[in-house]
Amino acid sequence: MKVTVKSLAQAAGVSRGTVDRVLHNRGAVKEDVAKRVRLLAKELGYVPNRAGRALAAYKTPIKIGALMPSVGNAFYQEIIQGINDAQREFQDLGLEVVLKEVEGFEESVHLEAIDYLLKKGCKALCLATVNTEKVRDRVNELYDKGIAVVLLNTDIENARRLCYVGSDYLTAGATCAGMLALTRRDKLNILIVTGSRNLLGHNLRIKGFEEELKRQNINYQLVSIVESFDSDIRAQQVTFQVLKEHPEINCVYIAGAAVQGVGAALIANGKKDIFAIGFDELYSTKQLVSAGIIKFVVCQQPTRQGYHAIKRAYQAVAGQLSESVPDFITDTIIKIKANLDH
Amino acid sequence: MKVTVKSLAQAAGVSRGTVDRVLHNRGAVKEDVAKRVRLLAKELGYVPNRAGRALAAYKTPIKIGALMPSVGNAFYQEIIQGINDAQREFQDLGLEVVLKEVEGFEESVHLEAIDYLLKKGCKALCLATVNTEKVRDRVNELYDKGIAVVLLNTDIENARRLCYVGSDYLTAGATCAGMLALTRRDKLNILIVTGSRNLLGHNLRIKGFEEELKRQNINYQLVSIVESFDSDIRAQQVTFQVLKEHPEINCVYIAGAAVQGVGAALIANGKKDIFAIGFDELYSTKQLVSAGIIKFVVCQQPTRQGYHAIKRAYQAVAGQLSESVPDFITDTIIKIKANLDH
DNA sequence: TTGAAAGCGCTAACAT
DNA sequence: ATGTTAGCGCTTTCAA
């Protein structure tokens, strides 16, 4: 038998309004009445009906805020694509998305953006933000206030949140190493080009990579690690320089963005037998894989990430979610020339 | 401005009841009135609201039928998992799924199952069925009757349908060849173990495989093709036999199911340097990849297939879909030891 | 052939 | 502090 607000009210001997107040902590209800309703709701297994909810709250939409450091960054456009998909799908269920795009990873900019979203009246937030102490504190604070926070694409260590939606960077790194194990028998002299040593995701990709190399007993040497700060120009310069200084390098592992810059350096360098690996299926990386400059990229389904982050946040606000929400980890997808999307 | 049945009715100068009758071809409406309403609906861009629809039709659920040849076949269980996910998600929007599980791929059994689903009152069908003439005719007939038909996991050539939801078998085959190109330099003597030469998917996997081998100028020879009929026992026997007769074989391409049987033959054979490739991430194939008997499997996200097939069918019945619905092609995912799910 | 009205589950505004 | 009511968009039934 289906449990509705009406039947719950009947069972508890109160009105529907009171049930609503109890279930959503709005308005004042005597504690013992509230307790009785809550108990009954749990016992009878009450689950709110989205259709009814959506219809009733049609003119007070569920506002969900999203923070993206997407300005001038093609990768985040893919996530935004997924956010838009979710918005379209759930709009007739009362969803409204407020998207705040910022440039870069500066802490103060991100904190300001969060404030902006809250001021806009968002009931839940999807954040692709930085792993710093102040941001973590802010997130914890929001969480304690009852605002559902979904961390998107990059997690924050030890933050209280609804869930994380994104890739498993450790596995992604390990997968690159596993592919090397499958394809190469000779000794590997590796250059790592990372985005920034301060970015959690990049570091995990390196950690997973090295762990798997060791686990599989690969004969390798780490020649150098350089930072590109996700700038293509810098990546090209620094990569070109190191390749010249170390002609023994036969493998380049690009842990961050700026794949295109590294590709340019590889082309300029001209050596044919360098095995290069990178991440993410952007226009530029697809070109490089197609041309054989990079042998494969490991991808993380950014569009699905955006879509599911919004969906989770919506479900949380709509009361569809149970106590503990598992993280949503996207697949670690190896793209070689043959299975690249066109 | 949002277009509702009410506003449409107002604009057309008729009652809401009449608009409903026109939009759903129920009851009789004078042709010129009907035409006016239809035109206006298109002009104003009317899209039915799921929430309202669900609420009103609460006791007449949208029944969607699913046909799965899943009896005794672990792979289809994954698809069913996705079907259940969709059912759970859309149940409070009025969805009800009728699942018909059958054994094997016999045409008459499948035709009977389709009849069963229709008799149950299904408004739309998701079919994982066989590519035969009679089934195609039946599907075409249903489609013309206005029943939304989603072909799931395997397409039917030249059938009229809402859309296909499943993997791109050609790309999947090509991906296996691409991985060989990446990993092997020596001459390949290949044994192909297919499920059945009558199954479209298996044939496409072989076609894509060979095309890509040629495209990449791989030095290879096709030693033999054998059929397992997706039986592990038969697969083991026939594979073991061929491997003994052809000790030069150094690559086994398993295009169908029965991966476990082939794995057993490889273990029994004992030769260490055979490079084996298969499809799909089942318990048995994961074991084989973990153990290194199979180097990788190419996967097709069966759970997503089940989920999206139901979702599409639901959306079609709920009137959310526009004229032409694109196919939903799942990713072609290479799973090596490092990115295998645990 | 068409119109009018009730009601699905929920929330917000109003009334007590 | 609690109850009552109207109405969201749609379908269905009853009435005309």
Side-chain angles (χ1 to χ4, degrees):
Chain A
M1 183 48 200
K2 163 186 34 124
V3 189
T4 70
V5 168
K6 199 169 156 188
S7 68
L8 239 185
Q10 227 154 25
V14 296
S15 76
R16 286 143 68 186
T18 300
V19 170
D20 183 63
R21 278 183 280 265
V22 171
L23 261 31
H24 298 89
N25 315 304
R26 42 178 159 242
V29 179
K30 249 199 289 188
E31 188 42 40
D32 59 325
V33 177
K35 219 182 285 181
R36 190 169 72 232
V37 171
R38 264 193 290 267
L39 187 75
L40 227 41
K42 186 155 259 176
E43 255 176 27
L44 302 181
Y46 169 75
V47 179
N49 177 301
R50 274 149 97 201
R53 164 89 184 62
L55 220 39
Y58 212 64
K59 50 256 297 231
T60 26
I62 297 182
K63 266 197 193 172
I64 292 180
L67 165 58
M68 285 285 118
S70 47
V71 175
N73 189 323
F75 172 77
Y76 288 100
Q77 295 307 322
E78 310 257 317
I79 297 186
I80 289 176
Q81 166 82 41
I83 290 177
N84 290 335
D85 290 348
Q87 177 163 32
R88 219 170 305 123
E89 180 172 333
F90 292 105
Q91 70 183 358
D92 62 359
L93 264 34
L95 170 66
E96 192 179 313
V97 175
V98 182
L99 175 61
K100 179 68 184 169
E101 300 191 70
V102 300
E103 181 171 357
F105 299 90
E106 213 172 297
E107 184 181 62
S108 63
V109 174
H110 283 228
L111 285 170
E112 233 171 79
I114 292 175
D115 286 342
Y116 168 83
L117 292 172
L118 291 171
K119 210 173 302 157
K120 283 275 182 183
C122 296
K123 298 281 186 301
L125 298 179
C126 298
L127 307 175
T129 187
V130 289
N131 177 33
T132 71
E133 202 171 326
K134 271 190 190 157
V135 171
R136 174 175 53 245
D137 290 348
R138 194 87 179 83
V139 166
N140 284 342
E141 189 187 308
L142 292 174
Y143 185 84
D144 295 340
K145 254 196 227 155
I147 303 235
V149 178
V150 175
L151 293 181
L152 175 49
N153 186 255
T154 28
D155 207 353
I156 294 179
E157 290 173 298
N158 301 314
R160 291 194 288 284
R161 30 144 251 202
L162 181 69
C163 66
Y164 165 64
V165 174
S167 109
D168 178 346
Y169 290 96
L170 217 51
T171 296
T175 300
C176 290
M179 285 290 282
L180 280 178
L182 217 52
T183 54
R184 304 286 293 226
R185 289 283 163 275
D186 50 338
K187 180 177 175 194
L188 295 171
N189 298 304
I190 302 174
L191 163 65
I192 296 182
V193 184
T194 188
S196 159
R197 304 242 49 169
N198 291 326
L199 281 178
L200 188 59
H202 295 181
N203 289 342
L204 288 174
R205 280 177 180 162
I206 294 173
K207 185 165 175 244
F209 183 65
E210 290 212 72
E211 282 175 356
E212 184 72 13
L213 286 176
K214 282 172 192 143
R215 210 176 298 132
Q216 299 226 19
N217 290 314
I218 304 296
N219 180 14
Y220 81 98
Q221 196 202 334
L222 193 52
V223 178
S224 179
I225 298 191
V226 296
E227 284 176 285
S228 71
F229 303 116
D230 285 358
S231 144
D232 283 308
I233 293 176
R234 191 186 144 85
Q236 176 171 2
Q237 291 170 332
V238 74
T239 305
F240 187 78
Q241 186 62 30
V242 178
L243 288 178
K244 213 162 63 179
E245 283 167 17
H246 295 280
E248 76 274 22
I249 289 172
N250 58 7
C251 176
V252 177
Y253 179 65
I254 312 162
V259 177
Q260 192 165 21
V262 178
L266 287 166
I267 293 169
N269 177 270
K271 251 180 75 183
K272 282 275 178 252
D273 62 335
I274 295 183
F275 198 98
I277 320 170
F279 289 92
D280 296 328
E281 191 176 13
L282 307 176
Y283 181 79
S284 53
T285 59
K286 278 195 267 193
Q287 298 283 309
L288 289 165
V289 173
S290 264
I293 310 287
I294 291 186
K295 297 299 183 255
F296 62 87
V297 281
V298 168
C299 308
Q300 53 172 313
Q301 304 182 302
T303 306
R304 280 186 91 192
Q305 290 179 20
Y307 173 83
H308 273 96
I310 296 291
K311 184 166 173 175
R312 280 281 170 84
Y314 170 81
Q315 290 176 323
V317 176
Q320 306 294 127
L321 259 28
S322 47
E323 298 299 287
S324 74
V325 180
D327 292 340
F328 185 92
I329 308 297
T330 48
D331 285 314
T332 300
I333 300 189
I334 304 161
K335 290 272 180 177
I336 61 179
K337 213 185 292 186
N339 67 342
L340 220 52
D341 294 342
H342 321 289
Chain B
M1 184 49 197
K2 166 189 27 129
V3 188
T4 70
V5 168
K6 199 169 155 188
S7 67
L8 240 185
Q10 229 154 23
V14 296
S15 76
R16 287 142 73 184
T18 301
V19 169
D20 183 64
R21 278 184 279 265
V22 171
L23 260 32
H24 298 89
N25 317 305
R26 39 178 162 242
V29 179
K30 248 198 291 189
E31 187 43 39
D32 59 325
V33 177
K35 216 183 286 179
R36 191 171 69 230
V37 171
R38 262 192 292 269
L39 186 76
L40 227 41
K42 185 156 261 178
E43 255 176 27
L44 303 181
Y46 170 74
V47 178
N49 178 300
R50 279 144 97 200
R53 160 107 196 39
L55 220 40
Y58 213 63
K59 48 257 295 232
T60 25
I62 297 182
K63 266 198 194 173
I64 292 180
L67 165 58
M68 286 285 117
S70 47
V71 175
N73 189 322
F75 172 76
Y76 288 100
Q77 295 307 321
E78 310 258 319
I79 297 186
I80 289 176
Q81 166 82 41
I83 290 176
N84 291 335
D85 290 348
Q87 178 163 32
R88 219 169 305 123
E89 181 172 333
F90 293 104
Q91 69 183 358
D92 61 359
L93 292 168
L95 169 66
E96 192 180 312
V97 174
V98 183
L99 175 62
K100 179 68 184 167
E101 299 191 70
V102 301
E103 182 172 356
F105 299 89
E106 214 171 297
E107 184 181 62
S108 62
V109 174
H110 281 229
L111 285 170
E112 232 171 80
I114 291 175
D115 286 342
Y116 168 84
L117 291 172
L118 290 171
K119 210 174 301 158
K120 283 274 182 181
C122 295
K123 298 279 186 302
L125 260 32
C126 298
L127 307 175
T129 187
V130 289
N131 178 33
T132 71
E133 204 171 325
K134 270 189 193 160
V135 171
R136 177 179 46 247
D137 290 348
R138 193 89 180 81
V139 166
N140 284 342
E141 189 187 309
L142 292 174
Y143 185 83
D144 294 340
K145 253 195 227 157
I147 302 234
V149 178
V150 175
L151 293 181
L152 177 48
N153 187 253
T154 28
D155 207 352
I156 294 178
E157 288 172 300
N158 301 317
R160 289 193 289 283
R161 28 140 254 197
L162 181 70
C163 66
Y164 164 64
V165 174
S167 105
D168 177 347
Y169 290 96
L170 217 51
T171 296
T175 300
C176 290
M179 285 289 283
L180 280 178
L182 216 51
T183 54
R184 304 286 294 224
R185 289 282 162 277
D186 51 338
K187 181 180 176 192
L188 295 171
N189 297 304
I190 301 175
L191 163 64
I192 296 182
V193 184
T194 188
S196 159
R197 304 242 49 168
N198 291 327
L199 280 179
L200 187 59
H202 295 181
N203 289 342
L204 288 174
R205 279 177 181 162
I206 294 172
K207 185 165 175 244
F209 182 66
E210 291 211 73
E211 282 174 355
E212 184 72 12
L213 286 176
K214 282 172 192 142
R215 209 176 299 134
Q216 299 227 18
N217 291 313
I218 304 296
N219 180 14
Y220 82 99
Q221 196 202 334
L222 193 51
V223 178
S224 179
I225 297 192
V226 297
E227 284 176 286
S228 70
F229 303 116
D230 285 357
S231 144
D232 282 309
I233 293 175
R234 189 184 145 85
Q236 176 170 3
Q237 291 170 332
V238 73
T239 305
F240 188 77
Q241 187 62 30
V242 178
L243 288 178
K244 215 163 59 179
E245 284 168 16
H246 295 280
E248 77 274 21
I249 289 172
N250 58 6
C251 176
V252 177
Y253 179 65
I254 312 161
V259 176
Q260 191 165 22
V262 178
L266 287 167
I267 293 169
N269 177 271
K271 253 180 73 183
K272 281 279 178 248
D273 63 337
I274 294 183
F275 197 98
I277 319 170
F279 288 93
D280 296 329
E281 190 175 12
L282 306 175
Y283 181 78
S284 53
T285 58
K286 278 195 269 192
Q287 299 282 308
L288 289 164
V289 172
S290 263
I293 311 287
I294 291 185
K295 296 299 183 255
F296 62 87
V297 282
V298 168
C299 309
Q300 55 172 312
Q301 303 182 303
T303 306
R304 280 186 91 192
Q305 290 179 19
Y307 173 83
H308 273 96
I310 296 291
K311 183 165 173 177
R312 281 281 170 84
Y314 169 81
Q315 290 176 323
V317 176
Q320 307 293 129
L321 259 28
S322 46
E323 297 299 285
S324 73
V325 180
D327 292 341
F328 185 91
I329 308 297
T330 48
D331 285 313
T332 300
I333 300 189
I334 304 160
K335 290 272 181 177
I336 61 180
K337 213 187 290 185
N339 67 341
L340 221 51
D341 293 343
H342 321 286

